[in-house]
Amino acid sequence: MGPRFKFGDLQMKCMHEIAEGKKIAAVARDNGVHRATIHRWLKRPEVREYLEKAKEVEELFALARAMRRLNSTHPWRRLRAAQKITALSKKHFGFW
C-alpha cells in the first residue's frame, strides 16, 4: 500500500477554482503546481468527491446570485435569473 494522501489547503483551493469553472492549466499556473500534478490528484477518489461537493456549493452560490437578480429592474436580468433557477432546480430536484 502506498503512502497516505494528505489533502491540504492547496488541493482544496485548486478544487474550488476548478469547481468555479477555471481551466486546470490556469489553476496550476496560478497556484504554482504542474497541471500533471492536478490531474494526478484528480485520480484519487477523495479528491474527486471533494471536487463534486465543491461544484454543488458553487451551484448553490449561483442559485443565490440568480435569486438576488430577480429583484433587478432590468427585465433581461430577471429572465436570466429565472432560467438559471429553473435549470438548477431540474438538475437537483428533478422538476420544472
Side-chain angles (χ1 to χ4, degrees):
M1 188 168 178
R4 185 173 164 89
F5 180 76
K6 184 175 183 240
F7 196 81
D9 293 339
L10 180 61
Q11 288 88 358
M12 286 189 269
K13 182 175 186 278
C14 290
M15 294 306 113
H16 278 283
E17 290 179 12
I18 292 168
E20 290 170 356
K22 215 171 169 184
K23 301 287 184 196
I24 290 176
V27 171
R29 181 187 63 243
D30 294 346
N31 289 285
V33 296
H34 196 277
R35 67 179 187 270
T37 301
I38 294 178
H39 284 289
R40 191 171 53 252
W41 292 341
L42 288 170
K43 291 180 182 178
R44 301 197 61 91
E46 60 269 32
V47 175
R48 296 291 301 170
E49 183 180 334
Y50 188 89
L51 177 60
E52 291 306 313
K53 289 182 187 216
K55 285 180 179 179
E56 288 177 12
V57 168
E58 181 56 35
E59 287 180 347
L60 290 173
F61 282 131
L63 179 59
R65 287 189 299 269
M67 292 177 78
R68 279 196 308 269
R69 286 189 206 115
L70 283 175
N71 293 328
S72 173
T73 57
H74 300 288
W76 61 270
R77 280 192 175 178
R78 289 195 307 269
L79 174 62
R80 185 71 184 117
Q83 290 171 335
K84 184 74 170 178
I85 290 168
T86 302
L88 289 172
S89 296
K90 282 181 184 177
K91 180 178 179 183
H92 290 287
F93 306 114
F95 58 85
W96 282 332

